[in-house]
Amino acid sequence: MLTHQKRQKQKKKTRKPRRNGKPVKQKHLTPGQWFEKLVDVQARLRAPNGCPWDREQTHQTLGTYLIEEAYEVLEALESRNDAKFAEEMGDLLLQIVFHSQIAREEGRFTVAEVIREIHDKMIRRHPHVFGKVQAKDSVEVLRNWEQLKAEERRSSDKKAASKTGAGVPQEVSLLDGVSRGLPATLEGFQLTRRASRIGFDWEDIGGVFGKMHEETEELKKAVKEQDHLKMEEELGDLLFAAVNLSRFLKIDPEIALKKANAKFSRRFRAMERLALRNGREFKNLPREQMEVFWDETKKSEGQPGGAATKP
């Protein structure tokens, strides 16, 4: 019996062919009409006589798919294949529809409320476009954005406190809203970005490099002392400083690391192929020969040689 995921993959394989890496145009329906059709499809799959797999899913079981689909969108974006990009964004959109359908069945909210919430928020958060506020540049836009978010949180807390009779609402921080569920690099990126918007930041990139050097020396000291807890702390500080550096460079650290991972994987696999062409298994080679193959792999990509432990 085929699993649901295998059936989905087979469905993808039988889709209509793409032309020049672009989605094939079909019926002339509006985005709204297509969206309603998608919502209807998901409701049908969740119906009593629908798909057993879809009916079994909960918010919790779908959590992994939500993360996976987001990363597949990023991978498709890097491929520069518009058809793949559109397809993966569709898969991500389906997750929103799926979660909304579960919530609708439980009488909590509908997908229309999800759309209304983000619609109203975008209007509210852009008073320089839809209102009378002036913003001279993107820096000011972001500063206003954070101020509006803080005001919204204060208002929300007051309403919640008045409803529950809890009295004084909880303290509000500019860092509220940075999800602990984010990958660590993205969480650090968001935290430092929030702080920088009110001026808590290094004056220039030189300060960040100085901090990285400082944290490196402290990590070396912890390693020398063989203090494991201290090593963990100092390594975390060094990684946090590297995330700060990525923000100064306007580079998403998670995407940069994903690319570095992919590069290492590509080169490692190339070394394994080189070993096989020489009648050897890579895992059985001495370290010196591994280094030779690493250098050959990098040169084949137009890169200078380097240690095999470095991507």
Side-chain angles (χ1 to χ4, degrees):
M1 181 179 288
L2 289 174
T3 66
H4 178 79
Q5 289 163 310
K6 286 182 179 178
R7 291 202 308 272
Q8 290 298 99
K9 287 184 178 180
Q10 285 190 350
K11 286 178 184 177
K12 287 184 178 181
K13 289 179 181 177
T14 57
R15 286 175 180 169
K16 292 184 178 180
R18 313 277 184 171
R19 298 192 197 90
N20 301 321
K22 295 184 180 297
V24 176
K25 292 183 179 179
Q26 297 183 11
K27 295 180 181 178
H28 295 289
L29 299 180
T30 67
Q33 289 171 321
W34 276 117
F35 187 78
E36 288 181 2
K37 287 170 71 69
L38 175 61
V39 171
D40 290 342
V41 165
Q42 192 56 50
R44 174 71 177 81
L45 291 172
R46 291 275 300 179
N49 59 341
C51 171
W53 185 90
D54 285 78
R55 285 175 49 76
E56 291 173 1
Q57 301 314 303
T58 65
H59 292 306
Q60 288 69 36
T61 62
L62 290 172
T64 300
Y65 298 106
L66 184 60
I67 295 171
E68 287 178 357
E69 297 298 356
Y71 278 111
E72 286 180 10
V73 168
L74 288 175
E75 186 177 353
L77 184 155
E78 293 298 326
S79 74
R80 297 186 180 182
N81 182 323
D82 284 345
K84 185 67 175 172
F85 192 22
E87 177 184 343
E88 296 300 344
M89 283 199 293
D91 290 346
L92 183 57
L93 176 61
L94 176 61
Q95 292 299 309
I96 306 302
V97 172
F98 208 148
H99 281 281
S100 299
Q101 175 61 26
I102 294 173
R104 188 192 69 79
E105 293 165 6
E106 296 173 356
R108 290 155 49 217
F109 60 82
T110 68
V111 71
E113 291 172 83
V114 172
I115 298 170
R116 185 200 67 207
E117 284 294 326
I118 188 59
H119 169 274
D120 291 352
K121 181 187 292 184
M122 295 305 287
I123 299 293
R124 191 169 61 247
R125 297 272 182 88
H126 292 82
H128 54 286
V129 176
F130 302 105
K132 298 180 179 180
V133 174
Q134 298 295 317
K136 62 181 180 181
D137 53 31
S138 60
V139 174
E140 194 168 336
V141 167
L142 292 174
R143 188 180 295 115
N144 292 341
W145 179 281
E146 293 302 328
Q147 183 178 342
L148 287 166
K149 288 179 72 173
E151 290 172 359
E152 288 170 10
R153 282 192 292 269
R154 279 193 291 270
S155 175
S156 177
D157 286 347
K158 286 179 181 177
K159 288 179 182 178
S162 63
K163 285 182 179 179
T164 60
V168 180
Q170 289 186 337
E171 218 173 273
V172 175
S173 169
L174 282 169
L175 301 182
D176 289 344
V178 177
S179 172
R180 293 302 306 275
L182 289 170
T185 53
L186 286 183
E187 183 185 7
F189 188 80
Q190 294 285 2
L191 290 171
T192 59
R193 187 165 66 174
R194 293 281 181 97
S196 71
R197 288 175 184 171
I198 56 141
F200 187 71
D201 204 357
W202 302 101
E203 290 187 5
D204 54 48
I205 198 171
V208 188
F209 278 116
K211 185 62 175 175
M212 290 184 69
H213 176 73
E214 175 190 327
E215 299 298 349
T216 300
E217 293 304 311
E218 290 180 3
L219 177 57
K220 287 179 180 178
K221 181 181 177 182
V223 171
K224 187 176 180 179
E225 296 172 353
Q226 284 298 292
D227 185 334
H228 186 76
L229 288 177
K230 192 65 175 174
M231 282 190 282
E232 180 183 62
E233 178 185 348
E234 297 302 344
L235 178 59
D237 290 345
L238 178 58
L239 292 172
F240 190 80
V243 168
N244 236 332
L245 177 63
S246 73
R247 180 177 56 79
F248 262 84
L249 298 173
K250 294 181 172 57
I251 294 172
D252 186 308
E254 189 70 17
I255 292 177
L257 183 56
K258 290 286 286 184
K259 287 183 177 180
N261 291 343
K263 180 167 61 176
F264 179 83
S265 178
R266 182 179 69 246
R267 290 175 177 175
F268 192 90
R269 293 172 190 275
M271 288 193 296
E272 290 177 316
R273 289 192 294 271
L274 275 174
L276 286 175
R277 282 202 291 268
N278 283 272
R280 304 283 297 277
E281 275 197 72
F282 185 73
K283 65 180 181 180
N284 297 328
L285 296 176
R287 172 61 185 268
E288 293 75 14
Q289 186 59 51
M290 289 181 176
E291 291 284 357
V292 170
F293 282 165
W294 179 259
D295 288 339
E296 288 184 28
T297 300
K298 292 191 75 173
K299 288 176 183 176
S300 69
E301 294 184 355
Q303 298 286 341
T309 54
K310 297 179 181 179

